[in-house]
Amino acid sequence: MTDAPSDRLSPALRTEALEQLLVERELVDPTVMDTFISTYERDVGPLNGARVVARAWTDAEYRAWLLRDGTAAIKDLGYGGPQGEHMVVLEQTEDVHHVVVCTLCSCYPWPVLGLPPSWYKDPAYRAGMVRTPRRTLREMGLEVPEGREIQVWDSSAEVRYLVLPRRPAGTDGLDAEALAALVTRDAMVGVAEVAAP
Amino acid sequence: MDSIADMGGTQGWGPAQVPTDEPPFPEPWEGRSFALTVLTMGRISGRNLDAFRHALGRLHPVDYLVDGYYGRWLNAAELMLTDSTILAPGAVDARARRNRGEDVEEPAFPEPTRPDYRASAPGSLREVDQDPAFAVGDVVRTKDLHPEGPTKLPRYLRRRTGTVAAVRPPHVLPDTHAVFAGENPQHVYTVAFPSTELWGPDAEPFTLHAEVFESYLETR
């Protein structure tokens, strides 16, 4: 095992240094960086995907379109761009549980879910989900019923997957906005179910 | 290449994390690293995402792992910038040490030699003239490929038999695109593999799907 040198510079110091060097060469404008950061902190996140799911739960025609042509149906709600070029939606059912991973990097559908959470980028997830998915899901707190088949999707090219969770019982009276508030990022990757309100 | 980034099925990482609520950038430097990487990737190489991924895969395993996700982004960005001699090797460390008060000499800025490259279209999807070689339902086998350079065929999917589940839009081929040797778009298939084909007769029962480029496949 190669040890990290003990006088290793922190990533915070090295990031600051790289920014200075690129700004001095006029290759990067810090205000453009600020805009980029705030976009992914405020505007692009799992609420986008939750709106897609809630629409599918309340509009059968939209749901059918979403499952047939995810890219177009998602674009119709205004979501597209980098890391969402070709979207495929996977429908959770009583019989099948879908879960999404990227073993080669941490590819993730940015336009609908934002940037990936730390558990998705963690080696334990990337390594384990394609080998022992039922055990890995259990470690994360999700027990998939024995009779339910597991399908794992390794995003090894530019297809990006969104999981359409099952609508929880007891939500018949809720409109799309209230339903969207129930939908979690974790359920849209397939490592959790949507809980009833 | 067999890189540290190719993690599928490797063991010894411990249990997966229990998900928690977290902001996109738990620490400010992570947001700066994210923005710097995305912006410099575009500037130096015509938004060659594959070249960035290949830079991640070429990192020393310690540099890949030790500072987490945005740490490896930072290290890969620095590697791309030194590859194209926009920065001299050691420039980032020298500046960081000066910033914390060490008396270190900084290397001069070199003359940039960025790759002569421009994407033929935005994104990674392209059209190709020839028809797909395989159709949904075809039984296919992944080849025994061990290239020195980049590949998107994970190690755990070499020499494995599966069934074509979907034909996806053609993609630029990362094997050549990542090293600025041409887009060479190809058909891409989602292939379904039974878990026992990957991990032996005692495997957990499940189906694994992955995207596989046409040139990685042969008829069984």
Side-chain angles (χ1 to χ4, degrees):
Chain A
M1 171 78 192
T2 311
D3 290 325
S6 56
D7 66 340
R8 192 179 177 90
L9 293 155
S10 74
L13 274 175
R14 299 185 67 251
T15 302
E16 178 190 31
L18 179 61
E19 182 173 342
Q20 287 174 2
L21 291 167
L22 294 176
V23 169
E24 285 166 21
R25 298 224 82 184
E26 297 183 341
L27 289 170
V28 157
D29 176 348
T31 61
V32 174
M33 290 176 60
D34 293 340
T35 309
F36 223 78
I37 293 164
S38 67
T39 297
Y40 282 94
E41 280 180 332
R42 289 204 302 257
D43 305 333
V44 183
L47 185 57
N48 294 357
R51 291 195 184 107
V52 173
V53 169
R55 175 78 184 273
W57 281 350
T58 54
D59 179 342
E61 204 172 308
Y62 182 81
R63 179 196 194 94
W65 183 24
L66 183 68
L67 293 171
R68 193 174 63 245
D69 185 352
T71 315
I74 288 167
K75 184 93 185 160
D76 192 58
L77 295 192
Y79 310 130
Q83 295 303 301
E85 270 189 275
H86 187 79
M87 292 293 309
V88 171
V89 177
L90 307 167
E91 184 182 29
Q92 304 287 41
T93 68
E94 272 300 314
D95 302 323
V96 179
H97 181 87
H98 299 284
V99 60
V100 181
V101 63
C102 172
T103 62
L104 291 174
C105 15
S106 299
C107 297
Y108 194 71
W110 290 10
V112 282
L113 295 185
L115 297 172
S118 54
W119 56 261
Y120 186 86
K121 304 175 287 197
D122 186 41
Y125 184 85
R126 290 168 53 190
M129 194 53 81
V130 298
R131 185 164 184 151
T132 51
R134 193 173 290 271
R135 186 203 305 171
T136 304
L137 289 167
R138 190 178 298 130
E139 288 165 356
M140 300 177 78
L142 181 68
E143 193 70 47
V144 179
E146 269 308 313
R148 190 173 293 164
E149 176 194 338
I150 293 180
Q151 300 215 8
V152 180
W153 301 77
D154 185 355
S155 316
S156 53
E158 299 299 332
V159 177
R160 295 290 171 270
Y161 294 97
L162 178 72
V163 171
L164 175 59
R166 290 177 306 139
R167 181 172 174 169
T171 57
D172 289 354
L174 300 183
D175 63 14
E177 198 184 330
L179 287 168
L182 301 177
V183 180
T184 62
R185 171 195 68 201
D186 303 345
M188 292 184 282
V189 184
V191 301
E193 303 259 20
V194 176
Chain B
M1 62 183 291
D2 292 346
S3 84
I4 179 68
D6 183 4
M7 291 185 161
T10 57
Q11 295 175 302
W13 302 107
Q17 297 174 18
V18 175
T20 54
D21 274 335
E22 57 179 282
F25 308 115
E27 293 186 48
W29 72 265
E30 295 177 290
R32 307 308 286 176
S33 168
F34 167 75
L36 278 171
T37 304
V38 171
L39 290 170
T40 58
M41 196 197 316
R43 284 184 182 277
I44 64 173
S45 57
R47 293 202 182 280
N48 190 330
L49 180 58
D50 293 315
F52 171 60
R53 292 194 183 121
H54 184 44
L56 284 167
R58 285 184 292 142
L59 293 176
H60 189 287
V62 170
D63 293 327
Y64 188 90
L65 293 168
V66 74
D67 293 322
Y69 185 65
Y70 292 112
R72 78 183 62 125
W73 277 45
L74 176 73
N75 294 331
E78 185 186 354
L79 179 56
M80 292 181 81
L81 289 164
T82 51
D83 278 352
S84 52
T85 64
I86 289 168
L87 292 181
V92 174
D93 274 29
R95 174 61 61 93
R97 289 185 192 284
R98 284 186 73 87
N99 284 344
R100 71 174 186 187
E102 289 179 40
D103 184 18
V104 178
E105 195 167 332
E106 292 190 43
F109 282 118
E111 191 59 40
T113 52
R114 66 180 69 176
D116 180 16
Y117 165 80
R118 193 167 290 273
S120 70
S124 302
L125 305 183
R126 299 288 184 272
E127 292 183 0
V128 299
D129 291 334
Q130 60 274 46
D131 291 333
F134 305 104
V136 171
D138 284 357
V139 175
V140 290
R141 186 167 171 86
T142 52
K143 295 179 185 171
D144 190 18
L145 299 173
H146 301 263
E148 285 291 317
T151 178
K152 296 286 274 184
L153 181 64
R155 266 178 287 191
Y156 80 97
L157 293 178
R158 276 184 199 135
R159 304 185 305 278
R160 294 292 183 264
T161 300
T163 306
V164 175
V167 181
R168 303 302 187 188
H171 292 41
V172 300
L173 181 69
D175 307 40
T176 54
H177 185 234
V179 291
F180 306 99
E183 294 188 344
N184 297 313
Q186 279 193 5
H187 291 289
V188 171
Y189 306 88
T190 300
V191 180
F193 301 89
S195 58
T196 48
E197 171 69 9
L198 307 177
W199 310 114
D202 296 330
E204 273 189 20
F206 68 99
T207 304
L208 184 288
H209 300 81
E211 275 69 60
V212 185
F213 287 78
E214 190 166 271
S215 60
Y216 302 166
L217 290 172
E218 56 197 5
T219 308
R220 201 198 169 194

